[in-house]
Amino acid sequence: MTEFQDSDTKDEQHKLLLDVAGLRDRSEFHDVTFVCRDGVQVAANRVFLAVRCEFFDRLLFGTLRESRQEEILLPSVSSASLTLVFEFLHTCDVQTLNPDTMAVEAYDLARQYDLPGLQKLIVGFLVRHARETATNVGEIISSALSLRAMDVAEQILPVASEALEVGCVDLFDGFSVEALVFSLKHESLRAGRPLEMDVFNAVLCWAVSMYTDHTVDKSVGNDFWCGLTPGAVEDLKAVVCDPERREAQDWRRVLEGVRLECVPTKELEEKVEELGLVPMELLLKAYRTQATRFARVALKASLWDATAKGSEVRIEQERCRFESKTHQGARTQASFTTGVHTWKIEVEEYCDLVWVGVVDDSVCMEHWLGKQQGGWMYGSNGTLCHNTTQDNGPYTNKYGVAFREGVIEVKLDMHKREMGFVVNGINYGVAFRNLGQRVFPAVSCRSPGLVRVVFGDKVWSLLGPPTM
């Protein structure tokens, strides 16, 4: 074969592909018929199937009895999924995919028939559909688990995590009990670190739809709890709190997947416990875990690291006061090597220039962090500084806007090793790339600066699991 192919050769190759695809519609070439579980017959050419797929080669030309049959029964296969497999074998593509259980069943067939190309196409389609519409997620995951297609479920879950982050309370609609239990216990559901109260809200919304005739009215205000009627709660309680009912056992299994210990104590007491839907032993376990974690926070005394701050920096709990005439630094005790994280720095008392960002282990806290190789800092003058090697700038790398008192939200993606900032609700995108392998939230300031770090209810996950 020559390395050069002229246009006529390419045209012939294209015609060949069209001719192969046309075999599906040439009934005179069909010499084998598959009878599917829905009674529909799907015809094909046995030589073509054998050439394209080793499974059919063994089935149609091996020693199995099917090799001598013109009509083959496939009692566990739907005609829709088999037709999709044949479409791929003829065209190396699929145009008839729908985001339903058929796609998942076709994926399972592709796995059985060793067609990784078709598996990749189906998974890609399902993930794109879930991300674009956030519908059918429960149906897809439930079907995938029933067919033991765990990899499909695992690749859809990060999309569910994104929906939870924006407070999508009806995300779990359509989930079977098994699918919901699987999802809640899988780390990918919390890949984006959604608030656990949002997870509980979505679980509660699922239970109302699953076990009662009510629905949660999501049009009432912006608060999920405004749309949760007393009647819905009472009807749900009658079902899931009856120990004689199967639904009560399923409800407990679902609740065991919710990390109640990560729900803020105030909400756990005033909202979750007040409902009367969560078994007391699960609530007590959550309260005990929180008490242990609060004790650990108290022992640590501060979110800031007392061993990694400038000599004239004073720390107390989440606040950090700078008393030096020159810029010094301070970092938190929490460090990050993986995952996606956010936190806020509140500037309570402004000095002439406040710097917010991250540092690695190499920096010296006695000096301005922006000039050091291990410091990536965003300044209140609207500039970025990293490894400038001098005390004053240069402040030439413009970014975002200048700020004084207020809140700066830091967005850190350690998967990509990138960091960006949000000021006054406006996200200014990626500020730094190629961050260090391990970084700490940090600030750099001088007198009379006073800043406060806010991790919210996610602080427990930063401190790690408690020692029981």
Side-chain angles (χ1 to χ4, degrees):
M1 180 180 292
T2 60
E3 295 183 4
F4 175 76
Q5 293 183 336
D6 58 23
S7 59
D8 290 340
T9 302
K10 293 181 179 179
D11 289 342
E12 286 298 319
Q13 290 176 340
H14 180 66
K15 184 176 182 299
L16 174 62
L17 293 176
L18 294 177
D19 290 341
V20 169
L23 286 175
R24 287 187 301 163
D25 303 320
R26 299 286 298 273
S27 59
E28 65 269 28
F29 294 145
H30 297 168
D31 55 4
V32 63
T33 300
F34 298 91
V35 182
C36 301
R37 70 163 183 257
D38 49 10
V40 176
Q41 297 182 350
V42 182
N45 179 275
R46 63 172 64 226
V47 172
F48 178 80
L49 293 182
V51 170
R52 289 286 288 132
C53 177
E54 185 179 349
F55 171 85
F56 287 109
D57 187 19
R58 294 195 304 268
L59 180 71
L60 301 174
F61 291 96
T63 58
L64 301 173
R65 66 181 181 183
E66 285 84 357
S67 65
R68 300 182 296 275
Q69 297 175 344
E70 294 183 358
E71 188 173 278
I72 299 174
L73 298 179
L74 296 177
S76 63
V77 178
S78 72
S79 59
S81 59
L82 185 64
T83 300
L84 192 143
V85 169
F86 285 178
E87 179 185 357
F88 174 78
L89 291 178
H90 283 83
T91 67
C92 298
D93 197 6
V94 285
Q95 300 296 326
T96 56
L97 266 176
N98 291 309
D100 53 23
T101 55
M102 183 273 285
V104 180
E105 184 176 341
Y107 176 91
D108 187 53
L109 277 186
R111 183 176 56 185
Q112 295 179 43
Y113 298 168
D114 193 22
L115 299 172
L118 179 55
Q119 288 178 269
K120 184 177 180 180
L121 282 174
I122 294 173
V123 169
F125 169 79
L126 291 176
V127 170
R128 286 195 303 275
H129 174 80
R131 179 166 282 114
E132 291 169 1
T133 66
T135 59
N136 296 91
V137 173
E139 184 180 358
I140 292 169
I141 292 180
S142 299
S143 300
L145 292 178
S146 68
L147 294 169
R148 294 188 292 277
M150 309 291 285
D151 42 352
V152 173
E154 289 173 346
Q155 293 194 58
I156 295 290
L157 278 176
V159 180
S161 179
E162 294 172 9
L164 280 174
E165 282 193 271
V166 296
C168 183
V169 295
D170 57 354
L171 171 69
F172 295 139
D173 286 1
F175 276 65
S176 65
V177 172
E178 295 302 325
L180 186 54
V181 170
F182 169 85
S183 301
L184 289 169
K185 293 184 176 180
H186 201 287
E187 289 299 320
S188 295
L189 184 67
R190 296 170 176 83
R193 289 185 177 270
L195 296 175
E196 202 63 25
M197 191 64 196
D198 289 339
V199 176
F200 178 80
N201 290 346
V203 166
L204 186 55
C205 186
W206 168 86
V208 169
S209 299
M210 184 78 168
Y211 297 129
T212 76
D213 295 329
H214 299 269
T215 57
V216 177
D217 186 358
K218 295 174 283 294
S219 66
V220 182
N222 295 319
D223 190 347
F224 160 79
W225 293 82
C226 294
L228 186 65
T229 64
V233 174
E234 289 305 313
D235 287 355
L236 180 58
K237 192 181 299 184
V239 175
V240 301
C241 294
D242 183 349
E244 301 299 321
R245 301 188 61 157
R246 168 70 181 273
E247 292 90 341
Q249 301 172 28
D250 290 339
W251 176 237
R252 184 185 177 96
R253 291 174 58 214
V254 169
L255 286 176
E256 287 174 347
V258 180
R259 300 174 182 176
L260 292 172
E261 68 276 7
C262 293
V263 175
T265 306
K266 184 178 178 63
E267 292 185 321
L268 191 61
E269 179 182 1
E270 296 181 359
K271 290 186 175 181
V272 178
E273 183 177 354
E274 187 69 20
L275 287 172
L277 293 167
V278 180
M280 185 54 65
E281 56 266 35
L282 295 183
L283 286 169
L284 289 176
K285 180 181 178 182
Y287 285 132
R288 282 196 299 267
T289 302
Q290 289 189 353
T292 302
R293 288 180 171 177
F294 278 129
R296 293 177 68 231
V297 171
L299 288 173
K300 290 190 172 221
S302 173
L303 294 177
W304 299 99
D305 191 339
T307 66
K309 66 178 184 64
S311 57
E312 295 185 70
V313 178
R314 304 289 175 260
I315 60 176
E316 181 180 352
Q317 296 300 329
E318 72 274 19
R319 284 181 171 80
C320 188
R321 180 177 292 280
F322 293 81
E323 299 178 350
S324 60
K325 294 182 180 180
T326 59
H327 276 78
Q328 293 187 343
R331 76 181 194 197
T332 65
Q333 298 194 56
S335 65
F336 303 109
T337 57
T338 61
V340 178
H341 312 277
T342 63
W343 64 91
K344 296 177 181 178
I345 299 293
E346 296 183 0
V347 181
E348 297 187 350
E349 294 183 23
Y350 184 74
C351 71
D352 62 333
L353 198 49
V354 177
W355 296 89
V356 178
V358 296
V359 297
D360 63 18
D361 287 301
S362 69
V363 298
C364 174
M365 293 296 172
E366 296 295 330
H367 304 291
W368 175 49
L369 302 180
K371 76 173 184 178
Q372 302 182 56
Q373 186 175 2
W376 294 265
M377 308 304 293
Y378 169 40
S380 57
N381 59 356
T383 65
L384 301 175
C385 285
H386 162 64
N387 197 25
T388 67
T389 69
Q390 62 187 63
D391 286 323
N392 296 303
Y395 308 129
T396 55
N397 189 5
K398 302 296 183 182
Y399 172 87
V401 294
F403 60 87
R404 288 180 64 86
E405 289 87 353
V407 178
I408 299 89
E409 183 176 358
V410 186
K411 292 183 172 291
L412 176 68
D413 186 341
M414 287 304 288
H415 298 306
K416 299 178 180 179
R417 290 169 60 196
E418 295 177 350
M419 177 174 59
F421 301 88
V422 178
V423 182
N424 296 325
I426 300 176
N427 189 339
Y428 290 97
V430 176
F432 294 104
R433 293 183 169 87
N434 301 316
L435 300 175
Q437 297 287 347
R438 179 191 185 205
V439 296
F440 301 77
V443 293
S444 192
C445 196
R446 66 181 180 184
S447 178
L450 175 64
V451 298
R452 176 173 176 257
V453 64
V454 181
F455 284 114
D457 66 330
K458 299 181 182 181
V459 66
W460 291 326
S461 63
L462 303 179
L463 294 173
T467 303
M468 300 299 290

